[in-house]
Amino acid sequence: MMTIASDIEVLARFGRALAGPIRCRIMLALCQAPAHPAELADALGISRTRLSNHLARLRDCGLVVTVPVGRRTRYELADECLGHALDDLRTAVVAVEADRA
């Protein structure tokens, strides 16, 4: 059973991970499909070194995992529920912005 403290820590880690726009773009890309780092770097238009740093941060937060595929490594969301959570967050933000207008 999770405690309130662990729930708060999970939310804080999620927030820290999504605080960077590049990490948000990575998460949204991985919602569409798992990908290899080279593919992600090309799709996002960033260097592989920069991508690697952001992927390490997302791994440390427990949001993405690596899957060995032969001699390569593929990245994917740690849990498919994360994709649903991101969609819910985007919808909530859009709703807030619509209310301001």
Side-chain angles (χ1 to χ4, degrees):
M1 182 173 151
M2 293 186 78
T3 65
I4 292 174
S6 65
D7 288 346
I8 292 169
E9 178 58 26
V10 167
L11 290 174
R13 287 171 51 195
F14 193 71
R16 283 192 302 272
L18 296 181
I22 291 174
R23 289 188 297 275
C24 289
R25 291 173 59 205
I26 292 168
M27 292 293 291
L28 292 173
L30 292 177
C31 282
Q32 301 302 311
H36 296 280
E39 298 164 352
L40 279 172
D42 291 344
L44 300 176
I46 61 175
S47 72
R48 291 181 188 184
T49 302
R50 194 169 183 195
L51 177 76
S52 178
N53 292 334
H54 287 289
L55 286 171
R57 181 83 181 255
L58 292 170
R59 268 193 331 267
D60 290 344
C61 290
L63 299 181
V64 300
V65 294
T66 59
V67 177
V69 180
R71 295 175 61 188
R72 300 176 67 194
T73 300
R74 184 182 70 211
Y75 282 82
E76 59 186 48
L77 297 179
D79 187 314
E80 69 180 45
C81 291
L82 289 171
H84 300 294
L86 289 170
D87 285 340
D88 290 344
L89 285 171
R90 287 188 317 172
T91 302
V93 171
V94 170
V96 169
E97 291 299 318
D99 288 343
R100 287 186 186 169

